[in-house]
Amino acid sequence: MIQSEYILALESSCDDTSVAIATLDYKILYELTSSQTEHEKYGGILPELASRLHMQNIMYLIEEVISKSNIKPSELKAVAVSINPGLIGSLIVGLSFAKSFAWSLGIPLITVNHMLGHVFANYIEHPELEPPYLALVISGGHTELLYFTSDIEFEHIGKTLDDAAGETFDKTAKLMGLGYPGGPVIDKLAKDGNPDFVMFPRALKMKDNYNFSYSGLKTSILQYLANQPMDWVAEHRSDLAASIQMAIIEPLVNKTIRYAQRNGIKQILLGGGVAANSLLRAMMQEKAQAFGAKVYYPSIPLCMDNASMIAAAAIPKYMKKQFSSLSVNAFSDKGTRVL
Ligand code: KG4
Ligand code: ZN
């Protein structure tokens, strides 16, 4: 019976420690996520501190999730863990726990690419989803367009040639004194602003490919802001936020839609922190509807880093018995891949 087979999943690639238990039909029994607010005072994530905090938290979270799920450890059928990309020390904490858990219970270890986890977050609210689909994965450090032909096979269609979309939100928000992470605050401010207030450049707009580039936009925003008095920036922050947001989001939508339309793709999945963006969701949906395509995105908590999405990405691997050896290592190389 599919419903009584459970996977324990761990996520510790950056500054969130997360543990979840899921059934093989994408139901989450329980998830707990501990976000490390300790980094805030440093204005960025300190990798060594992140690893230590994961070590402090992970065992408590595992115990609590097992207890709240009302299952016995002996009922777990596999342990899934994200092993790439991410902060290497943080990944090693999750992987070490996952290995020891799998070994002590005599159950398989399933290793998951964190970015694929962001794509599979969509299955938790839409377990009926079936490839083929186009997936736009947009997080703090990654921007990739993928075409899935099956639930474990995909082609890379495009990616950022330099900075990621999320990073552009974060760095420009920092320049405007809006704190970290930048995406949610720019999204909120932009609701009252004019996206045509400043016309920031759209990189690679005329290029007939599906790559993205954000370093030019970042420099242009930096130069623009450096030439304005700070009180003027504060006074116009909604208009600036709306213009910056449009410059980041428009190329993501246009290139994704262009590929989908040209190739007759009827399903588009969004995933990663930036998939929480309200303009991205609305624009993508409107343009997809025009040619009969459907857009899927996870609810906002599932767009952020979480272990439920790692469990979801592990399900097709469990079904196909794609298990990892206990000698597997974590690694921090960027990008989406099947591990
Ligand atoms: O996927 P995620 O939680 O972590 C990584 O794997 O990187 O993504 C974090 C990113 C940050 O850059 C954050 O600013 C961005 O997601 N983000 C948003 C929004 N909410 C979070 N960007 C735009 N609009 C949002 N509403
Ligand atoms: Zn992420």
Side-chain angles (χ1 to χ4, degrees):
M1 256 283 285
I2 208 165
Q3 252 130 357
S4 59
E5 297 192 42
Y6 306 111
I7 293 183
L8 172 76
L10 311 180
E11 157 59 38
S12 66
S13 62
C14 192
D15 58 341
D16 295 300
T17 325
S18 185
V19 178
I21 293 180
T23 62
L24 294 182
D25 47 3
Y26 299 98
K27 286 199 186 66
I28 306 303
L29 294 194
Y30 206 77
E31 183 205 275
L32 271 181
T33 301
S34 159
S35 297
Q36 303 176 354
T37 51
E38 289 84 346
H39 301 281
E40 272 165 21
K41 58 176 175 287
Y42 304 106
I45 296 162
L46 291 191
E48 179 60 23
L49 178 62
S51 317
R52 286 170 190 239
L53 292 169
H54 287 306
M55 279 177 65
Q56 265 175 32
N57 293 331
I58 201 160
M59 201 58 226
Y60 294 109
L61 295 175
I62 294 173
E63 280 173 359
E64 184 75 2
V65 167
I66 291 177
S67 130
K68 288 281 179 8
S69 297
N70 278 323
I71 65 155
K72 294 190 269 312
S74 59
E75 292 178 87
L76 293 168
K77 293 288 181 269
V79 183
V81 63
S82 56
I83 63 161
N84 146 268
L87 302 172
I88 191 67
S90 294
L91 290 166
I92 288 171
V93 175
L95 179 60
S96 306
F97 270 87
K99 280 182 183 176
S100 40
F101 231 81
W103 177 78
S104 63
L105 293 172
I107 57 176
L109 174 73
I110 302 176
T111 51
V112 173
N113 172 273
H114 176 88
M115 309 311 298
L116 279 185
H118 278 304
V119 175
F120 275 83
N122 282 287
Y123 281 75
I124 297 166
E125 287 151 334
H126 293 282
E128 76 286 359
L129 257 170
E130 273 185 35
Y133 45 71
L134 193 59
L136 178 65
V137 198
I138 22 175
S139 68
H142 297 78
T143 310
E144 283 187 32
L145 189 61
L146 309 165
Y147 178 61
F148 281 76
T149 47
S150 83
D151 54 11
I152 52 159
E153 287 160 314
F154 56 85
E155 292 164 38
H156 286 96
I157 305 302
K159 63 173 185 166
T160 180
L161 302 179
D162 38 57
D163 299 339
E167 197 178 336
T168 312
F169 274 110
D170 295 335
K171 295 214 169 125
T172 56
K174 197 170 175 183
L175 286 174
M176 289 171 69
L178 299 173
Y180 177 89
V185 50
I186 291 187
D187 191 350
K188 193 158 171 244
L189 283 171
K191 291 194 196 316
D192 304 316
N194 172 12
D196 301 323
F197 184 68
V198 188
M199 192 62 197
F200 290 112
R202 311 304 198 243
L204 310 182
K205 187 178 170 185
M206 305 313 287
K207 293 257 188 302
D208 196 12
N209 62 35
Y210 302 98
N211 291 326
F212 309 98
S213 166
Y214 284 105
S215 70
L217 173 63
K218 225 174 58 189
T219 310
S220 148
I221 297 169
L222 187 146
Q223 280 170 351
Y224 182 87
L225 293 177
N227 286 324
Q228 317 298 333
M230 263 337 261
D231 51 351
W232 185 90
V233 171
E235 197 185 319
H236 294 93
R237 54 189 212 161
S238 294
D239 290 330
L240 289 169
S243 304
I244 291 166
Q245 177 174 260
M246 187 56 90
I248 299 174
I249 297 300
E250 208 180 56
L252 295 172
V253 175
N254 288 346
K255 294 217 167 180
T256 306
I257 291 291
R258 195 198 300 162
Y259 187 86
Q261 218 167 357
R262 280 187 180 169
N263 294 281
I265 294 166
K266 296 292 181 202
Q267 303 191 99
I268 300 170
L269 274 57
L270 309 179
V274 183
N277 186 266
S278 55
L279 175 71
L280 172 81
R281 290 168 174 229
M283 251 175 105
M284 194 74 84
Q285 210 143 28
E286 194 190 311
K287 295 204 176 191
Q289 248 163 23
F291 63 98
K294 201 164 170 201
V295 179
Y296 295 86
Y297 42 77
S299 58
I300 290 181
L302 283 172
C303 287
M304 307 309 159
D305 290 350
N306 65 84
S308 298
M309 70 184 198
I310 302 303
I315 292 170
K317 293 187 90 179
Y318 180 82
M319 298 296 196
K320 295 178 179 75
K321 297 197 174 3
Q322 291 184 347
F323 305 138
S324 290
S325 126
L326 292 185
S327 61
V328 68
N329 278 327
F331 60 107
S332 56
D333 300 14
K334 283 197 168 198
T336 308
R337 65 198 77 211
V338 178
L339 295 169

